[in-house]
Amino acid sequence: MNQRSEKVVLVVDDEPDNIHLINGLLSGSYRIKAATSGAKCLNICASATLPDAIILDMMMPEMDGIAVIKELKKSPPQSQIPIIMVSASTREEDRQQCLDAGASDYLKKPVNAEQLTQLLESLIQ
């Protein structure tokens, strides 16, 4: 998807601590961009340089992760970005709703570093 050698991962979460945690897990392997709302995520993805993947919180105020996915899937370039949904929810219905909306995968919080890294490696070629 991206011709740059350094892969860019956009982390979207309304809790800055969660962004810092994921940044700490991935910063040696990926360049991290961050957004604290769904609207900011959409603005970043509307730019000329798309992220290689998005790690997206499911439960956020104003615009939740499902709404963000649905907006991204409307535009051809953005619709190709792999999205990993993360959530504290353990409900299977929530997981399925995310996958049905177009998420590439779903991880429960707290995110397991090894699982996240392996998933990103498989999604970003």
Side-chain angles (χ1 to χ4, degrees):
M1 173 173 291
N2 221 320
Q3 299 305 313
R4 299 178 310 271
S5 60
E6 187 176 38
K7 302 298 182 182
V8 176
V9 176
L10 174 58
V11 181
V12 185
D13 199 306
D14 60 314
E15 292 291 330
D17 288 346
N18 291 333
I19 292 173
H20 293 302
L21 175 71
I22 292 174
N23 185 37
L25 297 175
L26 301 176
S27 63
S29 304
Y30 301 95
R31 196 176 77 153
I32 306 299
K33 287 188 175 183
T36 54
S37 71
K40 289 178 183 174
C41 171
L42 295 176
N43 285 340
I44 290 170
C45 291
S47 70
T49 307
L50 296 174
D52 294 288
I54 299 172
I55 299 171
L56 179 62
D57 184 24
M58 179 181 162
M59 294 181 269
M60 295 184 292
E62 297 171 31
M63 180 179 230
D64 68 15
I66 302 280
V68 173
I69 289 176
K70 288 179 179 177
E71 283 300 311
L72 289 170
K73 294 300 177 184
K74 290 179 183 179
S75 300
Q78 290 91 344
S79 68
Q80 302 303 308
I81 303 169
I83 300 170
I84 301 170
M85 188 71 84
V86 293
S87 178
S89 174
T90 58
R91 295 175 10 145
E92 179 58 30
E93 306 87 63
D94 289 338
R95 178 185 175 279
Q96 193 59 52
Q97 187 179 12
C98 293
L99 296 175
D100 289 347
S104 303
D105 213 326
Y106 179 95
L107 296 177
K108 293 176 189 150
K109 290 180 181 179
V111 174
N112 175 290
E114 185 175 325
Q115 187 180 21
L116 178 60
T117 302
Q118 289 175 349
L119 187 53
L120 279 170
E121 287 174 6
S122 71
L123 292 172
I124 300 174
Q125 312 259 334

